[in-house]
Each structure stands twice: as structure tokens, then as C-alpha cells.
Amino acid sequence: MQFSIPHDHPSLPGHFPGRPLVPGVVLLERVLAAVEAQHGELGALRLPQVKFLQPLLPGQTARVELDRAGEAAAPRWKFRVLRDAVLIASGEIAAA
């Protein structure tokens, strides 16, 4: 799933003034949206592991890639958020 965070997103003015960066929580919202787009609403989730490796700037295009890692009774996904070929975040999301 590709996405871009617009320059006027409400989280940007405080993160960081003068040189806005897309907050990690906004990236994680996009990961959740990608999971739900493929598998429907899942209810409570947890994030056992998340790493933020590179910044994403407003207006840059990124994409979420998912790999199903769990069973139907305990679904889990490994995720990557990439800007072109650059890994900007990775981790795991799991049903609680």
C-alpha cells in the first residue's frame, strides 16, 4: 500500500518546528490501515517490535509491505515501510 503524508497534516507543526518529520505513530497508522485493508478490522492489536530507521518527510511517497507470520487463531504480520528502496521502519503487529 502506497501513501504520502501531506504537508498540512495536523501532526506536523509540533514534530519538529522548522523541519517537519512524519511522526512514527502516523507511520504505524498506515501499517494498521494496510493490515485492515487486506484482512478486515481486527480489534485489539499489539506491536511486539518496531524499529524506526530513517525519517519520512511530508510529501514523500512510501509504501507498506506485509508478510503474514501467524496462524488464523493468532494472526501476526511482519511489516516494512519503505521510501523507494530505503527501509524507514520495520516490525511486527499481532492480534492481542
Side-chain angles (χ1 to χ4, degrees):
M1 176 178 116
Q2 280 197 317
F3 68 93
S4 177
I5 304 302
H7 294 274
D8 62 350
H9 190 278
S11 69
L12 296 176
H15 205 269
F16 294 94
R19 187 169 192 272
L21 301 175
V22 176
V25 68
V26 175
L27 295 178
L28 294 176
E29 285 176 341
R30 299 305 169 127
V31 170
L32 176 59
V35 171
E36 289 183 341
Q38 288 185 9
H39 303 284
E41 197 168 322
L42 297 168
L45 297 168
R46 58 190 180 86
L47 294 159
Q49 178 184 15
V50 177
K51 292 183 181 180
F52 297 100
L53 304 165
Q54 295 286 324
L56 181 66
L57 302 178
Q60 289 182 323
T61 300
R63 72 181 182 282
V64 176
E65 294 181 349
L66 299 172
D67 291 322
R68 181 82 183 246
E71 304 169 7
R76 300 160 53 124
W77 296 266
K78 292 185 184 268
F79 69 84
R80 291 172 302 286
V81 181
L82 298 110
R83 181 185 62 244
D84 298 319
V86 177
L87 181 63
I88 59 175
S90 66
E92 187 175 334
I93 189 167

